[in-house]
Amino acid sequence: MNKKGFIFDLDGVIVDTAKYHFLAWQQLAKSLDINFTEEENEQLKGVSRVRSLEKILAWGNKTISQDLFDKLMGDKNEEYLSYIAEMDESEILPDVPRVLNLLEALDQPISLGSASKNARTILERVNLKSNFHAIVDGNDVSKAKPDPEVFLIAADQINIKPEDCIVFEDSVAGVTAANTAHMISIGIGSKDVLGHANYVFNDFTEISDDFIKSLINN
Ligand code: B16
Ligand code: MG
């Protein structure tokens, strides 16, 4: 059996934590008198924590000291972690376990490639940590998506060449990162947003076992 490397983004692919990021960023924005909308939250998908706060401050036309910036980053994460603490397996997105189990049955290496520094905690909460042969997250990279670093490290950790890797991603920056790494990109979301991916599906219920097998055999 051929071996391909299957790399999964976390937020928006395995679980929908964007709603928790939104609540935490909204609380922070409110404390600064900044109006923060769900549309703006969309633009933070796949974007690192530091960059997210920079963008919110720019939208609100605010400049703050480095000390306050650092404090707000900490506060936001604490608030976010309080939501994460309540997560369980019921929050895994539909058919993700089916695809992970199929890949395991077909003996395919699986890695996580996420921008989140909380990725390990989240995988533990939803009981999926042991499904991954490697976990690469926001703690392991120096350059955020759209830089391909996170996916290149993930490929290296599962010993698969980048061109033999397949990336599942819900963010524009993440799909660009996968393409730049010369990997096959599979967008999870809308074609209007992720048109630059090699394939796009609304969610994993649209990804058949035969499609996964065809990726392995090509
Ligand atoms: P944290 P992903 C990304 O995760 C999220 O999409 C993005 O909204 C978040 O700001 C980023 O992680 C950092 O997360 O604050 O937990 O370190 O989609 O790359 O799995
Ligand atoms: Mg994501």
Side-chain angles (χ1 to χ4, degrees):
M1 171 71 83
N2 274 347
K3 276 208 203 293
K4 294 286 165 77
F6 287 84
I7 304 176
F8 290 74
D9 174 55
L10 180 63
D11 295 342
V13 169
I14 294 175
V15 286
D16 174 23
T17 38
K19 59 188 178 206
Y20 301 135
H21 281 297
F22 178 59
L23 290 173
W25 283 129
Q26 202 177 35
Q27 168 138 333
L28 178 148
K30 214 171 143 197
S31 75
L32 292 169
D33 253 341
I34 297 174
N35 182 40
F36 174 60
T37 64
E38 254 179 281
E39 289 70 47
E40 284 163 343
N41 191 56
E42 277 298 304
Q43 296 178 49
L44 302 183
K45 283 188 176 173
V47 173
S48 73
R49 201 183 308 164
V50 176
R51 189 74 197 105
S52 297
L53 181 50
E54 287 170 354
K55 277 174 169 273
I56 292 170
L57 291 171
W59 291 328
N61 267 318
K62 295 260 176 203
T63 322
I64 59 171
S65 69
Q66 187 60 46
D67 281 355
L68 181 57
F69 189 99
D70 295 345
K71 183 188 173 302
L72 291 176
M73 291 267 291
D75 291 350
K76 185 268 173 181
N77 199 45
E78 260 180 49
E79 172 85 4
Y80 178 66
L81 284 175
S82 73
Y83 299 116
I84 297 309
E86 303 296 318
M87 286 181 83
D88 63 23
E89 289 168 37
S90 66
E91 296 210 36
I92 300 171
L93 290 170
D95 272 17
V96 168
R98 173 180 58 81
V99 172
L100 287 172
N101 291 338
L102 175 68
L103 292 173
E104 191 189 350
L106 298 172
D107 209 14
Q108 300 297 305
I110 307 171
S111 179
L112 193 84
S114 164
S116 174
K117 294 189 171 175
N118 299 301
R120 285 177 173 80
T121 311
I122 296 168
L123 285 182
E124 271 164 19
R125 291 299 320 160
V126 301
N127 213 7
L128 282 180
K129 202 165 168 216
S130 61
N131 291 68
F132 291 84
H133 303 108
I135 295 174
V136 183
D137 67 16
N139 300 295
D140 305 308
V141 296
S142 54
K143 287 169 257 161
K145 301 169 187 175
D147 190 282
E149 185 184 18
V150 64
F151 295 140
L152 292 172
I153 298 175
D156 187 58
Q157 288 203 1
I158 50 177
N159 273 316
I160 303 287
K161 287 185 291 194
E163 54 269 36
D164 287 330
C165 286
I166 294 115
V167 174
F168 298 98
E169 246 297 341
D170 71 312
S171 74
V172 172
V175 166
T176 303
N179 291 345
T180 306
H182 302 293
M183 299 176 176
I184 291 178
S185 53
I186 302 189
I188 303 293
S190 139
K191 271 204 176 79
D192 295 343
V193 180
L194 303 174
H196 54 319
N198 293 118
Y199 305 90
V200 184
F201 299 96
N202 285 308
D203 56 42
F204 279 85
T205 65
E206 294 181 356
I207 301 182
S208 69
D209 289 4
D210 282 346
F211 176 71
I212 296 286
K213 288 176 188 162
S214 73
L215 290 171
I216 295 169
N217 293 320
N218 273 334

